[in-house]
Amino acid sequence: MNNKVKSILFVCLGNICRSPMAETIMAKVLDDADLSSTIHIDSAGIIDYHEGEKADIRMRQHAADHGYDILHRSRPVTEDDFYNFDLIVGMDRSNMEELERKRPADAKARLAMVAQYVTPPQPVPDPYYGGDAGFEFVITLLEEACQNILKMEVQ
């Protein structure tokens, strides 16, 4: 039986910093592994406050400094996401609590927190109210997490 995931949804609070960055990094990781055509990835937010907006300009600038181009526009998590994705990855404990609350009982998606894919295990902090160092730290954590998701969940 093949338990490898074919679809991954990254989730943070507003879908304008952490989760679109994770989606963008994962897209590059999958592309580098020649798997981008076989694994579906997306990102979403717990709240719909920023729906339709581009990622935060600071996150896009820091992403660009690392060679990434965030194209995603914010959207909220929907009930369908729990049926359409194999793995839903939350950024922090609060995200996970909300995902557990929203998850239908018969949903197929497995929930996981980014913390289980980084060493030492730790949540991805929200850089929104912080400075440059916070955005850089998020990118560093997510690069490690996405490489480990590839190894542990996809390949």
Side-chain angles (χ1 to χ4, degrees), residues 127-139:
Y128 189 80
Y129 294 106
D132 290 340
F135 288 93
E136 290 295 318
F137 183 64
V138 164
I139 292 170

Side-chain angles (χ1 to χ4, degrees), residues 1 4 19 37 46 58 75 79 82 86 95 106 111 147:
M1 184 169 140
K4 298 302 181 184
S19 58
S37 63
I46 296 295
R58 298 165 298 168
R75 73 169 185 87
E79 185 173 313
F82 293 94
D86 296 326
N95 300 155
D106 64 341
L111 302 181
Q147 287 293 337

Side-chain angles (χ1 to χ4, degrees), residues 9-10 14-17 19-21 23-24 42-45 47-56 60 69-77:
L9 179 68
F10 295 97
N15 193 215
I16 59 167
C17 290
S19 58
M21 187 72 246
E23 176 190 357
T24 302
D42 196 1
S43 64
I47 60 173
D48 64 1
Y49 182 78
H50 299 285
E51 188 169 3
E53 294 179 16
K54 290 181 178 181
D56 182 281
R60 286 186 283 140
D69 185 14
I70 302 175
L71 302 174
H72 181 82
R73 291 200 175 255
S74 178
R75 73 169 185 87
V77 172

